[in-house]
Amino acid sequence: FQYLKRFDQGCDLDAFCYEERAVEGSPAECLQQLLLHCGVTDPSWAELRNFTWFLNIQLRDCEASVFCNPGFVQDTLKGF
């Protein structure tokens, strides 16, 4: 939700890192973001769960990668 919210606001996601236990927005806002970005019309709870699971793994791996670290790559991969 933190990434999707900032993406919609046009924020620079390269400099953002997920903040565990940081509560942002309401459950309704979170659900709205998930429905907006999951890519399935009228998704089931299982489809939303799979979307969030996949997105979470991808973002966690991205944050852990040295190649996605703005301090390491400088501006050579802007927006990657």
Side-chain angles (χ1 to χ4, degrees), residues 3-44:
Y3 272 98
L4 294 176
K5 181 179 175 183
R6 284 165 177 77
F7 175 76
D8 281 348
Q9 293 172 344
C11 296
D12 179 16
L13 296 177
D14 292 339
F16 177 72
C17 230
Y18 168 72
E19 298 175 35
E20 190 173 350
R21 300 192 190 273
V23 178
E24 294 183 14
S26 68
E29 284 178 294
C30 181
L31 183 57
Q32 185 179 26
Q33 285 292 331
L34 295 176
L35 290 170
L36 181 66
H37 292 282
C38 81
V40 176
T41 304
D42 194 23
S44 67

Side-chain angles (χ1 to χ4, degrees), residues 1 4 30-31 33-35 37-38 44-60:
F1 173 70
L4 294 176
C30 181
L31 183 57
Q33 285 292 331
L34 295 176
L35 290 170
H37 292 282
C38 81
S44 67
W45 285 110
E47 290 168 322
L48 285 175
R49 185 222 170 262
N50 289 338
F51 170 69
T52 57
W53 175 77
F54 176 76
L55 185 62
N56 186 53
I57 288 174
Q58 296 300 309
L59 292 171
R60 185 181 62 215

